[in-house]
Amino acid sequence: MSSPTQAQCAPASTDASAPIHDPAAARFQANPLFDAAERAAVYRAIHTRRDVRGEFLPDPIPDEVLARVLTAAHHAPSVGFMQPWDFVVVRSREVRAKIHADFLAAHAEAEQMFDEGKRETYRNLKLEGILESPVNICITCDRSRHGPVVIGRTHIGAMDVYSAVCAVQNLWLAARAENLGVGWVSILHQQALREALGIPREIVPIAYLCVGYVRDFHAQPELEAAGWLKRVPLPELLHFDGWQRGPDAVGEGLIEAIGQLRPSPRSAA
């Protein structure tokens, strides 16, 4: 898949032929519909995205590519448009070595949390690419940004954290479209991460990501391929008009439509 150009990543411009006195010309996108190829590209990025750990190449990421990926992350939805995220771009080998040392300590602790039957499998899993990837990115959440009262957060206080996670997903999908791999490292002590990056106490680290070009993208998620867990069939997770309520005839039609979906020849299971 070729990388999108800067023009493709830019917001859609308004139709130059529209009357300048028409307020709708400025309020709405001039070309909002996706054609079949554009739609297929979005779904391909979603279905072939992987949590990359062991396939990173040392090749540098060009600034213009990283700029597009970070811009995509910055265009995530956010509660009250508060944009609570910040992005710490980490290239320093010394800083990454500190974080890697903490990962090793946390990894050893985590191994003891699993039953003996799974410890060996866990021990043999490759769970990070902190030193192998050329760039690490820490995405944070500033929960105080724009004050204590935020539209949409008045009754569900964690909406700002959820918004920052949306930025993670935007970054991940944009990176996949740029043929970059991303690995989310969650086996870390938050305080050690704060100290290594100088993150203030009031700022919440949300995701520590390893980013880089890769040798290959796995056909299946690695934990699925390793037999750790299987993907749950989507119909088992559906409820209709209430928790654990079964489908009516219309719902059965949706379940049938899900069963008919098949990955495209270029996408993975």
Side-chain angles (χ1 to χ4, degrees):
M1 181 186 293
S2 60
S3 299
T5 64
Q6 289 180 337
Q8 289 171 321
C9 290
S13 59
T14 55
D15 186 351
S17 65
I20 59 174
H21 62 272
D22 182 1
R27 289 178 54 204
F28 301 109
Q29 297 177 21
N31 186 24
L33 301 182
F34 282 57
D35 64 28
E38 292 169 332
R39 182 178 66 237
V42 172
Y43 284 120
R44 182 171 179 240
I46 291 170
H47 290 297
T48 64
R49 179 212 58 78
R50 292 291 176 264
D51 193 352
V52 175
R53 302 177 179 105
E55 288 73 41
F56 284 111
L57 299 171
D59 306 16
I61 303 172
D63 284 343
E64 60 270 21
V65 174
L66 191 56
R68 289 196 292 266
V69 169
L70 288 169
T71 299
H74 185 45
H75 280 72
S78 64
V79 64
F81 200 51
M82 72 178 292
Q83 304 155 74
W85 43 72
D86 284 272
F87 307 94
V88 184
V89 179
V90 184
R91 291 191 174 101
S92 165
R93 182 81 179 184
E94 179 182 357
V95 173
R96 287 186 289 142
K98 290 180 181 178
I99 294 169
H100 184 257
D102 179 66
F103 164 80
L104 293 177
H107 184 269
E109 293 170 359
E111 180 184 328
Q112 300 305 312
M113 299 178 188
F114 296 100
D115 60 53
E116 292 186 7
K118 282 200 167 185
R119 284 181 192 172
E120 184 175 357
T121 301
Y122 177 83
R123 190 182 307 118
N124 293 327
L125 291 171
K126 171 70 171 171
L127 296 177
E128 52 76 37
I130 295 169
L131 298 178
E132 295 90 341
S133 59
V135 176
N136 295 179
I137 298 173
C138 184
I139 299 181
T140 64
C141 179
D142 182 351
R143 309 199 69 186
S144 65
R145 187 163 292 169
H146 304 302
V149 180
V150 175
I151 293 174
R153 197 183 61 175
T154 53
H155 291 74
I156 303 178
M159 287 299 297
D160 49 0
V161 175
Y162 303 156
S163 298
V165 174
C166 288
V168 177
Q169 183 75 338
N170 266 26
L171 184 149
W172 216 329
L173 294 177
R176 183 63 186 90
E178 296 281 0
N179 300 310
L180 292 168
V182 176
W184 186 334
V185 185
S186 58
I187 307 173
L188 293 169
H189 298 98
Q190 276 207 335
Q191 185 55 34
L193 185 59
R194 289 179 189 277
E195 292 173 1
L197 298 179
I199 297 173
R201 178 179 297 183
E202 66 273 15
I203 303 299
V204 181
I206 298 296
Y208 192 82
L209 307 173
C210 305
V211 185
Y213 293 105
V214 299
R215 291 186 297 274
D216 296 289
F217 287 95
H218 283 263
Q220 290 180 290
E222 288 185 68
L223 292 181
E224 183 179 16
W228 189 263
L229 287 172
K230 296 180 179 180
R231 188 179 300 279
V232 179
L234 176 56
E236 295 182 14
L237 306 175
L238 293 179
H239 312 258
F240 296 85
D241 298 315
W243 184 254
Q244 293 188 341
R245 293 185 61 178
D248 56 12
V250 176
E252 291 287 359
L254 173 61
I255 292 174
E256 182 179 352
I258 291 170
Q260 293 174 351
L261 288 176
R262 294 292 182 271
S264 68
R266 296 187 66 194
S267 66

